[in-house]
Amino acid sequence: MAIRWKIRFMSLIGTSYEADIYDNDFVGTPTELIAGAQPFVTRELEDEDVYTPIRTQSGYLRFIVEDASIISQIQPIRATDRSVVLKTGNTVVWVGFLRPEQYSQPWEAAPYEIELPLMSVMEAMQG
């Protein structure tokens, strides 16, 4: 498993982040993608029940598409095909997967921003 795509961005408070998307069959140098306006957003399951044993997370990864062929390359088939690791420096702050859904995109020429749905490891294990 190797990093196939990489997105670097800064938070509003100046923290530097890197989101790495892995591919099981890839060998080579990762492709650098341009971060979208809100590149990485997650939220945790909000449930008032204090006895909820697992609180899964979901979110979106946004980047600028410069070549439309990347959509078919990055789209996972199974829930664990494309793992995503968010890091700041050497510290891992989030681990999950791209959600295997049918992605929609604008019918216009590149470049444009696209958002890919994310799911946490615990959510992927439910399926």
Side-chain angles (χ1 to χ4, degrees):
M1 184 183 312
I3 299 170
R4 182 157 182 191
W5 298 280
K6 183 180 293 284
I7 303 171
R8 298 174 203 257
F9 60 94
M10 295 277 263
S11 71
L12 293 175
I13 58 173
T15 305
S16 180
Y17 288 96
E18 181 178 295
D20 296 330
I21 305 169
Y22 289 78
D23 185 345
N24 293 331
D25 303 321
F26 181 72
V27 176
T29 305
T31 302
E32 186 92 24
L33 301 175
I34 300 169
Q38 288 184 313
F40 197 91
V41 177
T42 60
R43 59 173 228 192
E44 191 170 78
L45 175 67
E46 297 175 12
D47 190 343
E48 297 294 324
D49 184 5
V50 296
Y51 297 110
T52 300
I54 297 173
R55 301 203 183 263
T56 60
Q57 295 177 343
S58 61
Y60 290 96
L61 181 64
R62 296 179 182 94
F63 61 92
I64 305 300
V65 172
E66 296 178 308
D67 178 8
S69 68
I70 193 170
I71 304 304
S72 61
Q73 296 170 11
I74 204 168
Q75 185 175 16
I77 295 172
R78 293 178 302 278
T80 57
D81 278 350
R82 300 280 185 259
S83 61
V84 178
V85 176
L86 180 67
K87 300 182 290 192
T88 178
N90 291 326
T91 305
V92 174
V93 292
W94 193 86
V95 177
F97 297 95
L98 290 179
R99 188 180 294 274
E101 293 181 352
Q102 194 167 23
Y103 301 150
S104 62
Q105 62 189 26
W107 288 95
E108 57 193 48
Y112 54 86
E113 184 178 73
I114 191 168
E115 64 179 24
L116 303 180
L118 298 168
M119 63 181 164
S120 66
V121 172
M122 297 306 287
E123 189 171 350
M125 291 175 70
Q126 286 181 339

